[in-house]
Amino acid sequence: MSEGTLYDKVWDRHTVTRLPTGQDQLFVGLHLIHEVTSPQAFGMLQERDLEVAYPDLTHATVDHIVPTSSKERPYTDDAAEEMMAELEANVRESGIEFSHPDTGEQGIVHVIGPEQGLTQPGTTIVCGDSHTSTHGAFGALAFGIGTSQIRDVLATGTIAMEKQKVRKIEVTGELGDSVEAKDIILEIIRRLGTEGGVGYVYEYAGEAIENLDMEGRMSICNMSIEGGARAGYINPDETTYEWLEGRDRVPEGEAFEERKKYWESVRSDDDAEYDDVVTIDASELEPVVTWGTTPGQGVGVTEPIPEPESLADDKVETARRAQKHMRVEPGETMEGYPIDVAFLGSCTNARLPDLRRAARLVKGRTVDPNVRAMVVPGSQQVKKAAEEEGLDEIFIEAGFDWRGAGCSMCLGMNEDQLEGDEACASSSNRNFVGRQGSKDGRTVLMNPRMVVAAAINGAVTDVRTMKEVTINE
């Protein structure tokens, strides 16, 4: 008898009880916290004289406000320094492990969790950040939560949640040249809409998904929330296990093999039933870029920007406003769209393979003199590994600013922000008005190689027209 999908299995294994509200109380296997959403929750615990129930299942980092240009303390931004100091005090008093900048393990929460082996298949993961869905790439159920829920998890190790429906998104075929995981997820959101996933979790499957490395899978799951889904996941397989084996906090030897049996057991059954199934042919995709102010307003780089009137009735006015803000015209393509800033970073695309692919395109070339370009590694470990391979030198010689680890210009909570009406080619996940620090700024989402191609040419460029260079890795 089928136990159903991975979602069903992991949910059932972590259900403590059914609550009078109709919600299920789930045990939380890993609680990741950072400096922005946790202070209020710790304050609520202190008001009630409560302690953290499971400090050993809680892990902290600092990412949103941390400067990427200098680690010097105190931070020049008083609010950032205050949040950092409060997090330091809270984790110290609660006995919570902290990937502090001084440890060499600091980074974006959704980068450090997997690289340190904290993220594992078949568990439940929560964090006060909407992109917690990233961890679903490992076959975990990972949810972004709010401040009051952070309080509940800190105090009890559990969370009240309503079960969602499951939509299987099967991506068949093979990706074309220079088409990446980022293009898959942008295409999914383009087709299904930013609200298409409301009430669902997404299970990503199919040949194109199975052929992705773990970093590509994380990029896919990372943006599930942009498609309206509560979470997104990929069934664990040998790619998952090979990536995890040998990492900190992952069992070794016989213990690893025993854990692997459990991981295998939570995979969706072949005869699992889904509430909806969507199929996309990967071979038909080209690099996707956004033309508007939501991640769903995307188009292939050589395809025409749509006429607002050609869209669904409820999207017409939104499209008109977006095209006015972005200064684009229907019928044009995004190829050649001038940019002022190039940002390679974020929890979507700032891992080592992302930087390697970008560096192969950058080597021997120079950033356009009218573009300010920056590379912000997703973690200190990524930064160190990239520097050991000489990737930093490639970027610096080309004219990129090589920064420290953090969220940076993805959301502009530190000094890395757009100025005025600058247009930015960005490997991040959101392009809402004001997202990168300026209400007049314009954000064009794209894959990492497309970002560096735009930096070199001063405009959105079809990366397929540019040759890569072999580098020693």
Side-chain angles (χ1 to χ4, degrees):
M1 181 177 176
S2 174
E3 290 186 75
T5 65
L6 178 145
Y7 180 62
D8 296 322
K9 295 179 183 182
V10 179
W11 185 281
D12 290 346
R13 284 163 170 77
H14 288 78
T15 298
V16 178
T17 189
R18 173 62 60 88
L19 300 170
T21 59
Q23 296 176 304
D24 287 335
Q25 183 183 26
L26 298 184
F27 183 77
V28 173
L30 174 64
H31 185 192
L32 297 166
I33 62 174
H34 59 79
E35 77 281 12
V36 175
T37 54
S38 68
Q40 305 93 323
F42 276 106
M44 294 175 190
L45 260 63
Q46 291 161 6
E47 290 171 3
R48 294 164 174 78
D49 197 26
L50 296 173
E51 295 182 350
V52 176
Y54 296 97
D56 55 324
L57 299 180
T58 310
H59 191 94
T61 191
V62 57
D63 53 9
H64 285 61
I65 55 87
V66 66
T68 60
S69 56
S70 172
K71 292 195 299 181
E72 188 175 343
R73 299 283 298 276
Y75 297 147
T76 55
D77 185 321
D78 292 340
E81 177 62 29
E82 183 179 348
M83 281 189 275
M84 179 62 163
E86 192 163 353
L87 180 63
E88 289 172 323
N90 286 330
V91 298
R92 182 172 58 251
E93 293 168 6
S94 301
I96 293 170
E97 189 173 13
F98 181 21
S99 290
H100 190 282
D102 292 342
T103 65
E105 296 184 340
Q106 172 266 337
I108 305 173
V109 65
H110 309 310
V111 176
I112 66 129
E115 74 181 9
Q116 294 184 29
L118 291 160
T119 301
Q120 296 182 21
T123 190
T124 49
I125 301 174
V126 299
C127 176
D129 187 277
S130 55
H131 293 104
T132 307
S133 54
T134 306
H135 306 265
F138 293 82
L141 296 188
F143 308 100
I145 59 175
T147 300
S148 61
Q149 293 172 306
I150 296 171
R151 172 203 63 199
D152 294 346
V153 178
L154 288 173
T156 70
T158 66
I159 188 170
M161 298 193 75
E162 295 178 2
K163 198 171 184 185
Q164 310 286 296
K165 294 183 288 186
V166 181
R167 172 179 286 145
K168 184 178 185 179
I169 301 180
E170 193 159 11
V171 188
T172 62
E174 296 184 5
L175 292 172
D177 181 42
S178 297
V179 182
E180 303 186 12
K182 181 67 162 288
D183 303 302
I184 294 176
I185 191 61
L186 285 173
E187 181 66 18
I188 289 170
I189 300 169
R190 170 193 182 187
R191 294 193 190 187
L192 300 181
T194 55
E195 297 180 355
V198 173
Y200 287 92
V201 297
Y202 283 174
E203 176 179 304
Y204 303 102
E207 180 185 0
I209 300 295
E210 292 167 2
N211 288 338
L212 292 173
D213 59 18
M214 289 310 300
E215 288 80 6
R217 296 180 186 190
M218 283 186 263
S219 295
I220 296 271
C221 291
N222 173 270
M223 291 187 67
S224 300
I225 190 69
E226 269 71 47
R230 189 67 181 89
Y233 68 86
I234 296 168
N235 283 298
D237 58 14
E238 286 301 323
T239 299
T240 317
Y241 313 142
E242 289 174 10
W243 197 93
L244 285 170
E245 191 169 11
R247 292 185 182 271
D248 292 344
R249 303 173 180 83
V250 175
E252 298 177 344
E254 292 184 8
F256 179 83
E257 294 303 320
E258 282 300 313
R259 187 70 61 86
K260 185 176 169 181
K261 290 178 183 177
Y262 168 65
W263 295 343
E264 279 283 298
S265 75
V266 299
R267 287 174 50 87
S268 295
D269 294 336
D270 292 339
D271 58 351
E273 295 184 0
Y274 297 88
D275 298 287
D276 189 34
V277 178
V278 173
T279 302
I280 292 176
D281 185 349
S283 66
E284 296 178 353
L285 304 185
E286 64 176 6
V288 178
V289 298
T290 54
W291 54 261
T293 54
T294 79
Q297 292 174 329
V299 68
V301 65
T302 67
E303 296 177 14
I305 296 165
E307 293 277 355
E309 291 74 18
S310 69
L311 305 174
D313 291 344
D314 61 342
K315 293 181 171 56
V316 172
E317 191 54 40
T318 302
R320 286 176 180 154
R321 289 197 302 269
Q323 290 178 358
K324 181 179 180 180
H325 179 83
M326 295 296 293
R327 304 177 193 171
V328 297
E329 295 292 335
E332 296 178 347
T333 70
M334 286 300 291
E335 190 171 12
Y337 183 83
I339 65 137
D340 307 292
V341 180
F343 170 61
L344 176 52
S346 85
C347 59
T348 314
N349 282 125
R351 297 173 179 86
L352 188 58
D354 298 316
L355 304 189
R356 285 172 176 160
R357 289 194 304 276
R360 287 197 290 268
L361 202 68
V362 168
K363 188 172 183 179
R365 295 185 167 103
T366 305
V367 171
D368 184 280
N370 296 313
V371 173
R372 60 184 178 104
M374 66 171 68
V375 180
V376 184
S379 72
Q380 290 179 330
Q381 288 190 19
V382 169
K383 185 174 190 287
K384 180 181 178 183
E387 290 172 349
E388 288 173 349
E389 295 181 9
L391 303 186
D392 59 323
E393 295 177 5
I394 293 174
F395 286 114
I396 292 168
E397 287 175 8
F400 285 83
D401 194 4
W402 180 255
R403 310 298 284 267
C407 294
S408 183
M409 195 179 279
C410 175
L411 75 168
M413 281 191 73
N414 66 359
E415 74 276 13
D416 303 339
Q417 300 182 0
L418 295 184
E419 299 173 3
D421 63 354
E422 287 181 324
C424 179
S426 181
S427 67
S428 55
N429 44 49
R430 289 184 175 169
N431 55 336
F432 308 133
V433 174
R435 170 71 178 179
Q436 292 189 296
S438 171
K439 64 180 179 60
D440 298 316
R442 294 166 288 147
T443 302
V444 184
L445 303 178
M446 59 189 72
N447 77 43
R449 280 183 284 192
M450 288 284 288
V451 169
V452 296
I456 292 163
N457 295 307
V460 175
T461 301
D462 186 347
V463 70
R464 295 172 295 180
T465 65
M466 299 175 67
K467 289 185 178 180
E468 295 182 351
V469 177
T470 301
I471 58 176
N472 295 323
E473 297 174 358

